[in-house]
Amino acid sequence: FAGRVMSGQASGVAELDVAGGKVEKDGVSEEAASAEAASRRRFQARMANRAVRRDPSQRISEVELRKLDSSLKKCTGFVRRLKGGDFAVNRDALLAEAKGLNLSRYVSEMVVAVVESKLPVADA
Protein backbone atom coordinates (compact mmCIF):
# COMPACT_ATOMS: atom_id res chain seq x y z
CA PHE A 1 0.00 0.00 0.00
CA ALA A 2 1.77 3.12 -1.19
CA GLY A 3 0.35 6.59 -1.29
CA ARG A 4 -0.55 9.52 0.86
CA VAL A 5 -3.12 9.59 3.58
CA MET A 6 -4.54 13.05 4.18
CA SER A 7 -6.36 14.23 7.27
CA GLY A 8 -7.78 17.70 7.69
CA GLN A 9 -6.76 19.72 10.73
CA ALA A 10 -7.58 23.20 11.95
CA SER A 11 -4.04 24.47 11.32
CA GLY A 12 -3.55 22.81 7.96
CA VAL A 13 -3.24 19.44 6.31
CA ALA A 14 -1.04 16.66 7.67
CA GLU A 15 0.28 14.14 5.18
CA LEU A 16 1.69 10.69 5.80
CA ASP A 17 3.80 9.20 3.05
CA VAL A 18 3.17 5.52 3.71
CA ALA A 19 5.77 4.23 1.25
CA GLY A 20 8.64 6.41 2.41
CA GLY A 21 7.66 6.68 6.06
CA LYS A 22 7.92 10.47 5.99
CA VAL A 23 5.53 12.50 8.05
CA GLU A 24 4.76 15.99 6.83
CA LYS A 25 2.81 18.63 8.67
CA ASP A 26 2.03 21.87 6.92
CA GLY A 27 4.48 20.96 4.17
CA VAL A 28 7.48 20.47 6.51
CA SER A 29 8.94 17.01 7.05
CA GLU A 30 10.08 15.79 10.46
CA GLU A 31 13.67 15.66 9.16
CA ALA A 32 13.55 19.32 8.15
CA ALA A 33 12.02 20.31 11.47
CA SER A 34 14.68 18.33 13.34
CA ALA A 35 17.48 19.91 11.29
CA GLU A 36 16.04 23.37 11.92
CA ALA A 37 15.87 22.72 15.68
CA ALA A 38 19.49 21.51 15.70
CA SER A 39 20.54 24.59 13.74
CA ARG A 40 18.77 26.85 16.24
CA ARG A 41 20.52 25.10 19.17
CA ARG A 42 23.94 25.54 17.50
CA PHE A 43 23.21 29.21 16.84
CA GLN A 44 22.16 29.80 20.46
CA ALA A 45 25.32 28.04 21.71
CA ARG A 46 27.45 30.25 19.43
CA MET A 47 25.76 33.39 20.73
CA ALA A 48 26.28 32.27 24.34
CA ASN A 49 29.97 31.56 23.65
CA ARG A 50 30.38 34.92 21.94
CA ALA A 51 28.82 36.71 24.93
CA VAL A 52 31.20 34.95 27.32
CA ARG A 53 34.24 35.81 25.18
CA ARG A 54 33.24 39.49 25.06
CA ASP A 55 32.64 39.74 28.81
CA PRO A 56 35.80 41.22 30.36
CA SER A 57 35.06 39.64 33.74
CA GLN A 58 35.40 36.18 32.14
CA ARG A 59 38.89 36.86 30.79
CA ILE A 60 41.97 35.91 32.75
CA SER A 61 44.06 38.86 33.88
CA GLU A 62 47.73 39.35 33.00
CA VAL A 63 48.69 38.83 36.65
CA GLU A 64 46.85 35.51 36.82
CA LEU A 65 48.28 34.47 33.45
CA ARG A 66 51.83 35.03 34.73
CA LYS A 67 51.15 32.77 37.72
CA LEU A 68 50.39 29.80 35.44
CA ASP A 69 53.14 27.40 34.43
CA SER A 70 54.49 28.21 30.96
CA SER A 71 57.44 25.83 30.82
CA LEU A 72 58.19 24.50 27.36
CA LYS A 73 58.40 20.91 28.54
CA LYS A 74 54.98 20.86 30.21
CA CYS A 75 53.17 22.83 27.48
CA THR A 76 54.53 20.76 24.58
CA GLY A 77 53.75 17.59 26.55
CA PHE A 78 50.19 18.78 26.95
CA VAL A 79 49.89 19.50 23.21
CA ARG A 80 51.34 16.05 22.46
CA ARG A 81 48.70 14.42 24.70
CA LEU A 82 46.04 16.40 22.84
CA LYS A 83 47.35 14.96 19.58
CA GLY A 84 46.84 11.49 21.06
CA GLY A 85 43.12 12.15 20.74
CA ASP A 86 41.91 9.88 23.56
CA PHE A 87 39.65 12.59 24.96
CA ALA A 88 36.98 10.28 26.38
CA VAL A 89 39.44 8.57 28.75
CA ASN A 90 41.69 11.52 29.60
CA ARG A 91 39.20 14.38 29.53
CA ASP A 92 39.23 15.20 33.24
CA ALA A 93 43.01 14.90 33.49
CA LEU A 94 43.52 17.10 30.40
CA LEU A 95 41.16 19.77 31.73
CA ALA A 96 42.83 19.78 35.15
CA GLU A 97 46.26 20.07 33.55
CA ALA A 98 45.13 22.85 31.19
CA LYS A 99 43.89 24.95 34.13
CA GLY A 100 47.41 25.10 35.52
CA LEU A 101 49.25 25.88 32.27
CA ASN A 102 49.75 29.12 30.37
CA LEU A 103 48.90 27.82 26.89
CA SER A 104 48.37 31.20 25.23
CA ARG A 105 51.37 30.64 22.92
CA TYR A 106 50.15 27.22 21.85
CA VAL A 107 46.57 27.97 20.76
CA SER A 108 47.17 27.33 17.06
CA GLU A 109 48.98 24.05 17.79
CA MET A 110 46.17 22.90 20.08
CA VAL A 111 43.54 23.71 17.47
CA VAL A 112 45.42 21.71 14.84
CA ALA A 113 45.89 18.83 17.31
CA VAL A 114 42.19 18.65 18.11
CA VAL A 115 41.08 18.99 14.48
CA GLU A 116 43.49 16.33 13.25
CA SER A 117 42.84 13.90 16.11
CA LYS A 118 40.84 10.79 15.50
CA LEU A 119 37.61 11.42 17.36
CA PRO A 120 35.23 8.48 17.79
CA VAL A 121 32.13 8.68 15.64
CA ALA A 122 28.92 8.39 17.62
CA ASP A 123 26.55 5.80 16.21
CA ALA A 124 23.18 7.28 15.44
Side-chain angles (χ1 to χ4, degrees), residues 10 21 38 47-48 50 62 65 69 86 90 98 102 106 121:
M47 292 297 111
R50 185 176 292 169
E62 290 292 325
L65 197 59
D69 189 1
D86 198 7
N90 300 325
N102 180 356
Y106 302 92
V121 178

Side-chain angles (χ1 to χ4, degrees), residues 8-78:
Q9 295 179 348
S11 64
V13 176
E15 299 179 13
L16 174 63
D17 186 354
V18 179
K22 298 177 185 175
V23 176
E24 294 183 2
K25 184 174 182 178
D26 297 330
V28 178
S29 69
E30 283 184 7
E31 285 181 18
S34 174
E36 182 181 0
S39 177
R40 286 182 192 274
R41 285 191 302 273
R42 282 192 306 270
F43 177 75
Q44 290 170 349
R46 280 189 200 123
M47 292 297 111
N49 286 338
R50 185 176 292 169
V52 168
R53 283 193 308 265
R54 288 184 178 171
D55 185 11
S57 67
Q58 297 293 325
R59 293 184 185 159
I60 191 166
S61 71
E62 290 292 325
V63 174
E64 293 171 344
L65 197 59
R66 286 190 191 118
K67 291 178 183 177
L68 297 175
D69 189 1
S70 60
S71 68
L72 181 67
K73 184 177 181 180
K74 288 185 179 182
C75 290
T76 55
F78 178 79

Side-chain angles (χ1 to χ4, degrees), residues 79 82 102-115:
V79 173
L82 272 181
N102 180 356
L103 297 165
S104 60
R105 296 180 183 171
Y106 302 92
V107 172
S108 60
E109 291 179 48
M110 290 186 298
V111 169
V112 170
V114 170
V115 169

